[in-house]
Amino acid sequence: MHALANPARFQRFSARALPWCAGVTAILLLVGLYMAFFVAPPDYQQKETVRIMFVHVPAAWWSMAGYAFLAALGAALLVWKHPLAALMARAAAPVGAAYAATCLITGSFWGRPMWGTWWVWDARLTSMLVLFFLFLGHIALSRAFDSPERGDRAAAILALIGVINLPIIKFSVDWWNTLHQPASVVKLDGPAIHSSILVPLLVMAVAFLMLFITLVMMRTETEIGRRRLEMAALAAE
Amino acid sequence: MTRFRHLVARDLLMVWRRPGDVLLVLAFFLLAASLFPLGVGPEPQVLQRIGPGVLWVAALFAAMLSLDRLFAEDLADGSLEHLALAPLPLELAALAKCLAHWLSGGLPLTLMSPALGLLFGLDASQIAVLAISLLIGTPSLSLLGGLGAALTLGARRGGALTALLVLPLAVPVLIFGVGAVEALAGGAGTTNSLVLLAAFFLVALASTPWAMAAALRQAVE
């Protein structure tokens, strides 16, 4: 962690690691998608639409983990003044938001044939929507100031408060739902997941994680470059 | 403690000298709530059904409306820097300002809510629970709102941004607040929701002052 705090050292590290990460991501995505489309059997109830799961579920997992990562970066910035954490948080937030959006959109494509509706105010859906808003708030706040450092700090504080509040939101939404909507939604309690479905799912999950890492690394490099350009422009004035 | 009290008194005095701000918030609350019967139609059953939720959402928006005056003026005239240097810890100063904000916003709103409950045809017990839930819930809104206001101090488009930050965080307050009144209609006990509302307030009370102070320190740096 500390060794990579220096942006120049991070750039040397990522220059070497990035091609590998991108390559592994591409291979895993190809293998995962092939398995998801051709190897995994269609579900006996849900037919072919079950294949949406292989994108939907990893996106949900890593968008939640992405917010925890954002909070960890926020702590690193506020506690240790880790200079790279701010840039990495700037890089990670839009990726996390994109994952949350992917989860919401694929979920509604799945919900239409399965539940007969694009959207239900179900507990899990609602808390994912709130997570998406939290990402948007983080992105907007970090870019709302004339001085980028101020935006980074404010966004870091928001990420930390958000991560405390996230379980509370999740819990409150669950509670609200059980109170008001007694099982009006088709539950997905199919048979326990068979390995023919579980293996592609796990491959896709690792692929999405590697994609997240690759994108964040690329975007962090861009942020470093952008900061340098701004500094150079200021120095030239 | 004296310093804390003085700060609350000062903020209240400032509100008192310019009552327009508070009246505007209350007028907004009244206006927003009374638009719903026009929007969804005047059937009493419908209004009674949606009343608690509408009043809670209107209260949430009204609370957003007054957030910009929480710290922005103090930043503009330099008193925020004095607060940061004063012997009273900035955490407590932020808390004092939130308390003043609640006394001049959340509390009048709560006192006004029974009258609006009548407009929606709520019965006496529902109105009582609604007022109690607002009484317990609105302090959390002042704390979360204070956090949002502190974070966006000096930002571009601060007002809309504050709402984007605060409203998702305030989801539990809304759910438990409306839940208390709804539980009454469903024949269930209201204690659960009210206790959870109080618990949320305590968590906010324990966590937001630190975050607010951290945000304010950056604003005056």
Side-chain angles (χ1 to χ4, degrees), chain A residues 81-132:
Chain A
K81 312 226 179 300
H82 198 300
L84 199 67
L87 299 174
M88 209 174 252
R90 241 166 225 268
V95 182
Y99 271 41
T102 306
C103 174
L104 288 168
I105 292 167
T106 54
S108 93
F109 286 161
W110 199 2
R112 183 65 197 154
M114 285 303 105
W115 298 344
T117 173
W118 296 101
W119 180 260
V120 196
W121 290 99
D122 167 79
R124 306 180 101 184
L125 279 68
T126 311
S127 48
M128 183 51 78
L129 186 66
V130 173
L131 180 68
F132 178 60

Side-chain angles (χ1 to χ4, degrees), chain B residues 101-196:
Chain B
H101 178 260
W102 178 72
L103 287 172
S104 63
L107 188 61
L109 213 116
T110 305
L111 295 177
M112 208 171 115
S113 64
L116 286 172
L118 287 176
L119 291 183
F120 281 82
L122 303 183
D123 60 36
S125 56
Q126 280 179 308
I127 288 179
V129 174
L130 177 71
I132 293 170
S133 72
L134 281 170
L135 190 67
I136 304 175
T138 45
S140 305
L141 298 184
S142 285
L143 287 169
L144 289 175
L147 175 65
L151 285 175
T152 56
L153 219 46
R156 297 184 294 264
R157 302 176 303 275
L161 185 57
T162 313
L164 178 64
L165 302 183
V166 174
L167 292 177
L169 296 178
V171 165
V173 183
L174 180 68
I175 288 176
F176 295 141
V178 178
V181 193
E182 302 266 293
L184 195 68
T190 57
T191 335
N192 267 353
S193 300
L194 293 180
V195 168
L196 285 167

